[in-house]
Amino acid sequence: MKMGIFNRFLGSEEKKSIVPAGFDPSLGISAEPRVWDAVISLGGTCQVAHQIKRSGMRLASYPFDWLFSTEPEYVIKAFEDDFKDFLKYENLDEAEKTETEHKRVTDKYYHMIHQHIFPLDEPIADSYASVKEIVDRRVRRLLSLQGKNMSILFIRTDLTEDQALRLGDLLHRKYGKNAHLLVVNHIKEFKMRYIPLNSEYISMFEIYDENENTGQRWQGYDPHWDVYCSVI
């Protein structure tokens, strides 16, 4: 099913109420939003999956949805080798204690933390088989989209321009000419800015991040997500 990201277009009065001073007009906010067959989180925190879910566009689970993956080089590596070593038991280690209902388990090979899938009250060895089955299913779902040339929007936070270009080129090769990478970089200033890149299939934006600046709302600053996603 085709879909518009966030499935709505902000009206002029609504724009005025949430767009901060200094908003870059080059965003082209009056343009019609594009449509996508799938919108997929690539991390690096749960914020991306949450925002996709909030929009009603998260129609399936994928491997990066609820991961803490702040080292983009390892996201690139996972795609390069088609996730062949993803969540191998010998690469796992329990991270620091957590106050949630799940263990924080580190995949030392890919430098990622699984935060919301290993039960808190079970040893990793006891829950590994069932968790691995779930994660493998999400990986297979992602890999199955390769070569189908579907209209896919991948969203990832906090990349350098070089990392964005490398990851975007890789996704373009594996998922076809209609795959697009949206990069959302968090900044301390209460503003939004479009970063032009030399690519037709990568978009980069800077937005204010409430969690980074106030320690509140890991989900991110909803009004900024709504504004820039309305033009992608």
Side-chain angles (χ1 to χ4, degrees), residues 25-39:
S26 68
L27 285 174
I29 195 168
S30 63
E32 287 296 322
R34 289 179 57 177
V35 293
W36 308 98
D37 296 307
V39 181

Side-chain angles (χ1 to χ4, degrees), residues 89-141:
Y89 182 76
E90 58 266 31
N91 297 330
L92 302 184
D93 190 21
E94 187 170 348
E96 68 272 16
K97 297 297 182 180
T98 175
E99 296 180 359
T100 71
E101 59 185 16
H102 294 93
K103 292 182 184 293
R104 286 168 53 87
V105 176
T106 301
D107 184 329
K108 295 177 290 185
Y109 186 81
Y110 285 111
H111 294 224
M112 299 174 186
I113 299 177
H114 296 261
Q115 301 193 112
H116 302 290
I117 194 166
F118 283 90
L120 183 62
D121 57 353
E122 293 183 26
I124 295 175
D126 292 352
S127 57
Y128 176 74
S130 59
V131 169
K132 186 67 163 61
E133 181 180 357
I134 293 171
V135 173
D136 283 352
R137 184 165 61 246
R138 294 173 181 175
V139 169
R140 289 194 300 270
R141 183 177 293 130

Side-chain angles (χ1 to χ4, degrees), residues 63-79:
F64 292 106
D65 284 1
W66 307 114
L67 282 178
F68 191 71
S69 58
T70 58
E71 299 182 52
E73 294 298 325
Y74 290 94
V75 175
I76 294 172
K77 179 176 177 58
F79 277 102

